[in-house]
Each structure stands twice: as structure tokens, then as C-alpha cells.
Amino acid sequence: MLSYEIVIATRNRPDALALSVPRLLTQTHPPARIVIVDSSDEHQKVAEVVDPIAARAAIPIDLIHGPRGASVQRNVGLERVTAPVVIFPDDDSIFAPNAAEEILRVYTLDTAGTIGGVCAAPTVVWPDADVPPGRATIAADGRSTRERIRTLLEGPRTKLERLAFPNPFVTLGQSFWPSWTFPEWFSQFDVVPVEWMTGFRMSFRTDAIRRVRFDERLRNYSLFEDADASFAVMQGTMVVGARLARIYHDKAPGERGDPRTMGVIQLLNRSYVVCKNSPPGHPARRQLVRHSRYKVWQYRMGARNDAARARHLGAKATLDAVREFAVAPSANAGTIYEAWLPKLLPPRPAAPA
């Protein structure tokens, strides 16, 4: 079976690493190395968690204090990778014991090299017997009580959204599928095509992701850098899901950014990624404005406090940018993004000395 390395981008979440890293070291098919790129305000706190784990591990763990931003941090880690496959979990991705083995099985069977990316399947069940205290209780059907309630409430709404306000990412990802040829062993090992890979469960052939890299225009939280990387790799190879590989997203607490910023980048980053990876007139382009208007309306309906109102106003202010992205040449996507970002998110004034 092919070898692989793991790259984790992290910031201010040593407790998450304390749960996730030990489980990466005990995979049934262990990694050749783990690279952790940390941008924490207090790097020493992360070192205090990682260093003792590394001292006991038979597998090398490189801890780097790097610049902030998921895209740039992943690129920093990627530069150190020498294995043919690299897995990019979040710092709070909890792997089932055989998750990496099932992912690597797909790459190993793909002797023609037609697969550029493989993601695991998300699971709502803690994937091993060592369940930390305080996690949601598991219902008889294997889902947490909170997950069951949320599914009941969101099911009809999600179906309506898919019909009336389809996500352009889904349309863009599926547009690659007709050109792909799926080998017979896909059904044997429960491998399926995916629209894109979400960051907490994605992996790539190293040469495929190294060709495109993560887009460093998507700064700080780097929202949708995972989708962008998936679409870029799809333009030469398949991206698929290994449904026998299971990863639990522990979703460590913490704000991803101020509410207005999150409202802006939800629309701005999605539009940039779609514009960059599809030509004018593509069905995903035609869905951008309608989907974005729906998101603005959704935020408005949920604007019950100052933070939610700020998110709504940020998203609403971004609609003109969405309209420009919807019709612009793909080659202009980066220039348009750089022009809109300071308009929508002007630098904060420096604090008084």
C-alpha cells in the first residue's frame, strides 16, 4: 500500500490536537510523518501538547510555527511532504482506526493514476471506543440526539433549497463527472464520485495538489480553499469519496471571524472560486446570484442579535461583487477578488499608541 504523510493547519486549539494527533499515530496504516503548521498567538501552548506526543511516537512529528491562514499553512506543510499521498485533516478531525487505510486503498488500486483526491465519509458517531466526556449521547440509530433533531428540522428545508436555490459548488463539481470513467472495483470498496472535498476529511496525490496548491488569496480562515483545491485537481483527475473511511469532525469551539467578515466571505469566496474554476455561461455561474440572494435573505431572517445583523449586512454588501464574478472571464477572478476585498473589509484603524 502507498505511503502517505499528514499536514495539519492549526491555530489556538491545542486541546483539539491532544485528541486528534494520537489517533493519527495509531492508524492501522500509519503515516510516514505528521507535519503540524501552527499559527497560534501562543505557540508555546501548542508545543506543550505536541512535544510530549512526539517524544513518545515512533513516527516523526514536525511542529512548525508558521504564518496565519489555512491556505498558506497547508502550503508550508506541503513543501515538506515527500510521500506520494498527503492527507490534510483539520486539527479537530477524529479518524476511525482504519480511516487512512481505506483512503490509501483507493490510491493503491488506482494504478493508472486517474484519481487525484480522495475524501473520507463524515460520521456523527465518535469513531472509537475512547469517547471523551461531555460528548453528545448516541441514539439507538447511531446518531447523536442533537443530530437527529437537526435532521428532522432541516430535511424539508434542505430539499427546497436544493430545488429552488441550488449550491453552485454542487453543480460545478458534478459537471466534471461525465468525463470520468469509474473502474469496477469502485462498487466493491464503496467508492463514489464527490462534488468536492470538505477540509476536515480530504487527501490528494502529492503531485496533483502540488501542481495547483492552496490559493493564498483566501486569507485567514481561508473559507472554501478546500473546494477550490478540489475543483482545480478535478480539471485533470477524478476526486472521489471512500465511504468505508470514517472521520468524525469534533468541531472545536471558537469564532472563525467577526460576523461581518463571515457574511462577506461566504458570498465573496464562493463567487471567486466558481468564477476561477468555470467559464462564463457555465450552469454554476448562472446559479451564483440567485443562491447568494437566498443566503442574504436567510441571514436577514436569522438576524436576531447584533452579530447576526452584522453578518447579514456583510453578505448584503457583497451582492454587487457576486454579480461581477458571475459574468467575468475566469482569468480575471483573482484581480476582481483583490479589488473587492478591501472595499468590503477595509483595514481596521490602528489602536492608539
Side-chain angles (χ1 to χ4, degrees), residues 117-155:
V118 180
C119 65
T123 177
V124 298
V125 181
W126 190 269
D128 61 34
D130 187 18
V131 184
R135 296 305 186 273
T137 56
I138 302 301
D141 63 358
R143 293 177 296 165
S144 70
T145 303
R146 182 173 63 180
E147 186 73 19
R148 293 173 69 225
I149 294 171
R150 188 175 70 179
T151 300
L152 288 172
L153 293 175
E154 291 189 352

Side-chain angles (χ1 to χ4, degrees), residues 5-9 33-37 62 64-67 69-88 205-207 209-214 216:
E5 295 176 39
I6 292 175
V7 172
I8 303 173
R33 177 168 49 172
I34 298 174
V35 181
I36 301 172
V37 185
D62 298 348
I64 305 166
H65 191 203
S71 287
V72 65
Q73 287 174 245
R74 284 177 166 148
N75 285 337
V76 167
L78 178 60
E79 291 172 1
R80 297 203 175 196
V81 173
T82 59
V85 173
V86 54
I87 300 181
F88 290 95
R205 288 194 187 273
T206 303
D207 59 355
I209 187 59
R210 192 164 274 153
R211 279 196 299 270
V212 301
R213 294 172 58 85
F214 291 94
E216 295 183 13

Side-chain angles (χ1 to χ4, degrees), residues 222-277:
S222 304
L223 188 66
F224 302 139
E225 93 290 352
D226 46 8
D228 178 67
S230 298
F231 298 141
V233 168
M234 282 179 179
Q235 296 181 45
T237 53
M238 292 190 286
V239 171
V240 300
R243 296 202 290 193
L244 297 180
R246 298 292 177 137
I247 297 178
Y248 178 86
H249 196 192
D250 200 29
K251 295 184 180 178
E255 289 295 326
R256 305 296 189 181
D258 72 86
R260 178 182 168 83
T261 296
M262 295 308 294
V264 168
I265 65 173
Q266 277 283 341
L267 272 62
L268 189 69
N269 288 16
R270 187 188 305 276
S271 300
Y272 168 60
V273 169
V274 170
C275 179
K276 175 185 172 184
N277 291 287

